[in-house]
DNA sequence: CATAATAATGTTATAATGTAACAACTTTAA
DNA sequence: TTAAAGTTGTTACATTATAACATTATTATG
């Protein structure tokens, strides 16, 4: 199965609802924010959200922002390198931009390789002020 | 005030207790694990731990591991670049190793600079299996 | 088709992590 | 010596996440 094999059509009802909530959101959402949004669609308990999120993260359709305890729909351009995604998170407007960089990936691979560290997951998150917010 | 100006002597009673707990620990500790350890020393409420932790993190004596919701005493060799610390976290034994790398720092500065992103805080955490654990 | 295996759902309860707010006391600096 | 800043203690609460169990839906296989 390749990386974005799980197109929307393959998602279950709840997975689709959670995915839509994230896709239609400007920025990251907490699990409980998603739960609130989906009350009208019959959601009652956090497990319904967390279970859908777990699958969507497995499918690489959603990313968890560890420093925010929140989730974003995957929006990164191209799909070549899911392993070394990084995020810039604006602490003013909440916008998250997702990016990859080849030199960064290479260097990180070198560093973990040199330490003989078998990498499972990488978290790279920058917190700060985005260009729109500090220019005004 | 320079980076490690807050030597132990300058810490308050609670800050010192929390710092000692972290320094004497093999790996990262959650705030509540610290609270449990310090019950004997009179700690009663999470605030006592969280307040001390906040100061210790401000002083760069302790780091928060976002992907674990836990805290470690700073152990990185040298002190030249507190801004671009990274962590390798073994998911088997719990060991955390802290490192910096000049090329990595440069690349990250380039990337945030190019995006005109004003960086406040950087989180770089690798989860995986350390050399000791996968060689046995 | 039958049916076994897997996946998804609904639900209640609880665990784990983190903060607000208020009152008191201690240390530092003017 | 007294005002300011920092520290502590405490109660209550908010937020984030998981355990456990029962049920239904979907998929794969003989």
């Amino acid at each position: 199965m390749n990386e974005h094999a799980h197109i929307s059509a393959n998602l279950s009802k709840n997975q689709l609802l959670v995915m839509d909530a994230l896709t239609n959101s400007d920025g990251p959402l907490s699990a409980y924010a998603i739960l609130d949004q989906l009350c009208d669609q019959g959601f009652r308990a956090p497990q319904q959200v967390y279970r859908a999120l777990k699958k969507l993260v497995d499918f690489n359709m959603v990313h968890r922002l560890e420093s925010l305890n929140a989730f974003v729909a995957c929006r990164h351009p191209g799909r070549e390198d899911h392993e070394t995604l990084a995020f810039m998170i604006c602490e003013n407007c909440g916008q998250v931009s997702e990016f990859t960089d080849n030199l960064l990936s290479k260097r990180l691979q070198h560093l973990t390789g040199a330490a003989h560290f078998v990498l499972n997951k990488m978290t790279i998150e920058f917190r700060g002020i985005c260009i729109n917010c500090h220019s005004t």
Side-chain angles (χ1 to χ4, degrees), chain A:
Chain A
M1 181 190 316
N2 80 21
E3 306 212 309
H4 274 193
H6 285 268
I7 52 174
S8 302
N10 294 330
L11 297 177
S12 74
K13 189 189 70 170
N14 287 3
Q15 288 159 12
L16 197 56
L17 286 167
V18 170
M19 190 69 212
D20 283 349
L22 286 169
T23 303
N24 297 329
S25 167
D26 270 354
L29 293 174
S30 74
Y32 280 77
I34 295 171
L35 179 57
D36 286 346
Q37 283 196 22
L38 295 181
C39 272
D40 295 341
Q41 275 70 43
F43 275 46
R44 294 283 169 272
Q47 279 284 28
Q48 298 176 288
V49 177
Y50 280 108
R51 288 201 282 225
L53 284 171
K54 181 169 193 316
K55 291 294 182 179
L56 295 170
V57 169
D58 285 349
F59 301 158
N60 270 317
M61 299 175 75
V62 165
H63 306 296
R64 178 167 211 279
L65 300 174
E66 302 287 348
S67 67
L68 291 179
N69 295 330
F71 301 83
V72 282
C74 178
R75 292 191 166 88
H76 85 279
R79 58 197 55 189
E80 41 333 292
D81 192 356
H82 271 289
E83 304 307 310
T84 52
L85 268 184
F87 300 90
M88 288 192 247
I89 302 166
C90 180
E91 294 179 316
N92 184 246
C93 68
Q95 277 293 324
V96 173
S97 63
E98 188 179 331
F99 66 95
T100 58
D101 178 71
N102 231 308
L103 287 177
L104 182 61
S105 298
K106 287 266 166 56
R107 191 64 192 160
L108 294 174
Q109 277 165 32
H110 172 80
L111 289 167
T112 52
H116 299 284
F117 186 84
V118 178
L119 190 63
N120 286 338
K121 193 201 169 196
M122 202 176 264
T123 299
I124 307 176
E125 298 176 14
F126 305 150
R127 306 282 294 267
I129 306 297
C130 75
I131 183 170
N132 292 323
C133 287
H134 70 69
S135 63
T136 56

